[in-house]
Amino acid sequence: AQSVTQLDSQVPVFEEAPVELRCNYSSSVSVYLFWYVQYPNQGLQLLLKYLSGSTLVKGINGFEAEFNKSQTSFHLRKPSVHISDTAEYFCALTSGSARQLTFGSGTQLTVLP
Amino acid sequence: EPEVTQTPSHQVTQMGQEVILRCVPISNHLYFYWYRQILGQKVEFLVSFYNNEISEKSEIFDDQFSVERPDGSNFTLKIRSTKLEDSAMYFCASSENLGDIKNEQYFGPGTRLTVT
């Protein structure tokens, strides 16, 4: 069985500061990792994904994430956040031959002026 | 940009009643999914659907649930006899089938189901 852990349920940060949202996973087979963002009253939008190749993945809106197999992590980072980045962020994975996504519990990022 | 749509945005129903949640996936997508998120909990996979049949389902997706693609555009989730614990946000998603099973899933805005 696989699981995703997002340790921080809420992360407040000031505008233009850097941010890291943490994600750790557990799986007995190879994984494919995703970060989704959910703005208020909207669906889940894909930020970025790791399928294979380079462990540093760049996504939309200036976000990037690094796949670390030894630490079973896929942390999301942005060097300078904006007010508009305020949203809920979900880490998710698929593994083996399954298509279904397994989600973490989400991290609410709040960017303060 | 094409998007997944869901109706209604909010559904209130009484315990024991049947409810149908509707989704219109992106038109050229072939895989369809339902997920749910109970308030304060994780987004959970319910079922995936391909070629007019269920492809995968979770243990949550019991006999009370069913899915259907009644025409060329809609994808529905039916709950036959709702329970209080079915109250949740239900998300529909769809993805292409290009041979890569890790194709991105595109999510709709969700339907908030409240069972009273």
Side-chain angles (χ1 to χ4, degrees), chain A residues 34-38 41-47 90-94 99-103, chain B residues 1-6 23-26 29 31-37 43-47 89-95 103-111:
Chain A
F34 305 81
W35 275 98
Y36 281 85
V37 60
Q38 185 180 30
N41 301 315
Q42 294 186 28
L44 298 163
Q45 180 184 3
L46 183 70
L47 270 180
F90 294 92
C91 184
L93 66 78
T94 60
R99 286 182 172 265
Q100 65 198 64
L101 288 165
T102 298
F103 283 87
Chain B
E1 186 176 331
E3 57 182 18
V4 177
T5 59
Q6 291 185 242
C23 168
V24 178
I26 295 173
H29 285 186
Y31 273 89
F32 314 116
Y33 312 81
W34 284 102
Y35 293 82
R36 78 172 186 190
Q37 184 180 29
V43 176
E44 302 171 292
F45 168 76
L46 293 178
V47 65
M89 180 73 88
Y90 288 81
F91 293 105
C92 174
S94 68
S95 65
N103 287 334
E104 174 182 351
Q105 293 182 27
Y106 292 79
F107 283 79
T111 292

Side-chain angles (χ1 to χ4, degrees), chain B residues 29-77:
Chain B
H29 285 186
L30 298 177
Y31 273 89
F32 314 116
Y33 312 81
W34 284 102
Y35 293 82
R36 78 172 186 190
Q37 184 180 29
I38 295 171
L39 189 64
Q41 298 186 25
K42 296 183 180 185
V43 176
E44 302 171 292
F45 168 76
L46 293 178
V47 65
S48 63
F49 191 85
Y50 172 72
N51 200 25
N52 282 320
E53 60 183 25
I54 290 173
S55 178
E56 298 166 313
K57 63 179 182 178
S58 71
E59 58 189 25
I60 302 169
F61 193 85
D62 61 21
D63 292 344
Q64 291 298 310
F65 292 90
S66 63
V67 289
E68 190 179 24
R69 188 152 164 83
D71 52 44
S73 59
N74 290 282
F75 178 54
T76 62
L77 174 70

